[in-house]
Amino acid sequence: MKLTGSERSQIMTHSDIRAMTIECTKVNGINLAQGVCDLDIPPLVVNEAKKAIDEGWNTYTRFDGLPVLREAIAKKVRAYNRLEADVEKNIICSEGTTGAMFATCMALLNPGDEVIVPAPYYQYHVFTVQMCGGKPVTPKLGPPPAWKFDADAIQESITKKTKAIIINTPSNPSGKVYSLAELKALRDICVDNDLFCFTDEIYEYFVYDGLKHVSPASLEGMAERTMTISGYSKSFSITGWRVGYVHCHEKWKNTIGYVNDLINVCTPTPFQIAVAKGIEQLPESYYSGICDEYAGKRKMMLDACKDAGLHAYKPEGSYYVLADVSMVPGKTAKDKAMHILKKTGVGAVPATAFFPDSSGDAMVRFCFAKRDPVLKEACERLRKLNV
Ligand code: PLP
């Protein structure tokens, strides 16, 4: 399959999430459509960024990032993700998780390669595969609320052209946190079919109800084939700073690093320093603290959905709630999301954005990563839906 320039630009349509954001702005609504967290940045991280700029850390860095950030990330992935990590061999700092996924796909996929992206998926994963000339194949996870990893459906969708599988745990939009048993089934599929696994773990610190985040690369047989991708947009509330990374086997580091260099040159330098200091100096209680805070917001969101007459699926992780809106007027999820916006002034994403077919027609996604007063106001407004 050869992509021409114009076909590439067709893929590059505005995501549904951005489209809903535009609609929401038009009516001055509260935007629970976009996954932007507007919470406070840890003060230490802000101060270190200012200091880094003042101290002159404003020029390009090496393609894979400053040693201080690679060291901090290596230490963190060893302790939190249980992965082996060498500062020189295994870490590439990137322009956020998005840049990391793009560089990985660009580096490791050939045109025509098929990549399995279980649905519901994060749209960027699908678009990224397409932009790299690959073909996303989107078997479905089981029904909500469990969204069980369906090994049979995944296995059935594998062909000779399948090169990789993309997993997002905890997931946007479903909030699914892959269990160890599911990850073992995933591992068996990857090993039996010799597949790469690209994992997006950006919500790794947002896991509720005592569940644990497990990195697929930590399972036996997965280290060599898994690119573990994450970043600090969400954990430090710095979506605009663009700091993420790929952890991979040394075999892949230079290839991915080379593409990362071509696309981004480097991660913004002062923010590399600030994030490194944040990783090094923030205590574990910082992460458990934000997790508890978000668990509180999840409860606010779920309660409001219930009062509004919507059946919401309780997410195990991340900061999104998918809600059944079949009783809301409108034919499509977009109509229903527009009805909710017009009646209550709350923006949500039609869940068709997360499925290849009509499975998302009766669902919308709310993002609850908002400051409490804003979320409270959104919840009050949503209650007026009263379906
Ligand atoms: N991956 C997932 C699953 C997301 O939901 C988002 C943002 O909403 C991103 C990646 C973007 O991450 P970053 O800001 O690190 O590029």
Side-chain angles (χ1 to χ4, degrees), residues 87-292:
V87 175
E88 291 301 322
K89 296 180 184 157
N90 306 119
I91 311 286
I92 304 151
C93 304
S94 58
E95 284 253 346
T97 306
T98 308
M101 183 62 82
F102 202 90
T104 297
C105 288
M106 206 65 185
L108 300 181
L109 299 179
N110 291 315
D113 282 345
E114 292 178 8
V115 178
I116 296 177
V117 193
Y121 43 67
Y122 174 58
Q123 267 187 322
Y124 268 55
H125 293 158
V126 167
F127 295 158
T128 301
V129 170
Q130 287 173 332
M131 283 293 280
C132 295
K135 182 180 166 211
V137 177
T138 52
K140 271 188 272 175
L141 295 169
W147 305 105
K148 208 168 171 311
F149 179 76
D150 185 344
D152 291 338
I154 304 282
Q155 188 62 53
E156 271 168 32
S157 57
I158 292 175
T159 73
K160 279 195 199 126
K161 292 185 179 167
T162 311
K163 184 80 161 281
I165 177 162
I166 295 182
I167 293 295
N168 178 209
T169 182
S171 154
N172 171 9
S174 68
K176 175 183 177 58
V177 174
Y178 279 68
S179 69
L180 189 56
E182 289 175 312
L183 292 178
K184 283 183 176 166
L186 164 75
R187 183 264 318 274
D188 292 347
I189 288 174
C190 289
V191 171
D192 291 350
N193 298 281
D194 195 19
L195 304 180
F196 282 126
C197 183
F198 306 154
T199 69
D200 178 336
E201 303 179 28
I202 190 163
Y203 298 103
E204 60 190 326
Y205 291 112
F206 303 79
V207 178
Y208 312 117
D209 307 326
L211 292 172
K212 287 254 170 307
H213 170 68
V214 180
S215 287
S218 67
L219 272 71
E220 205 188 327
M222 288 298 272
E224 232 178 272
R225 62 183 69 251
T226 306
M227 315 304 134
T228 302
I229 291 170
S230 194
Y232 283 84
S233 285
K234 315 285 174 164
S235 313
F236 289 173
S237 304
I238 48 168
T239 50
W241 285 19
R242 316 308 306 132
V243 183
Y245 65 86
V246 186
H247 168 280
C248 62
H249 189 274
E250 61 177 302
K251 274 202 258 190
W252 318 117
K253 168 158 180 180
N254 281 343
T255 324
I256 298 173
Y258 177 65
V259 178
N260 187 52
D261 183 21
L262 275 181
I263 305 173
N264 303 313
V265 181
C266 69
T267 309
T269 306
F271 299 146
Q272 290 193 44
I273 307 251
V275 168
K277 295 281 162 77
I279 301 172
E280 289 283 359
Q281 291 177 30
L282 288 168
E284 250 174 57
S285 58
Y286 167 76
Y287 300 96
S288 54
I290 51 166
C291 189
D292 290 348

Side-chain angles (χ1 to χ4, degrees), residues 120 140 147 322-325 331-334 336 349-365:
K140 271 188 272 175
W147 305 105
L322 278 174
D324 184 328
V325 287
K331 230 163 135 189
T332 63
K334 191 166 181 203
K336 291 168 189 285
V349 185
T352 32
F354 314 119
F355 292 91
D357 55 20
S358 59
S359 309
D361 262 358
M363 277 184 273
V364 298
R365 189 202 72 181

Side-chain angles (χ1 to χ4, degrees), residues 45-62:
V45 175
V46 177
N47 292 336
E48 292 294 344
K50 290 179 185 164
K51 217 165 93 190
I53 292 171
D54 287 342
E55 286 175 0
W57 291 95
N58 301 304
T59 53
Y60 301 134
T61 67
R62 213 173 81 170

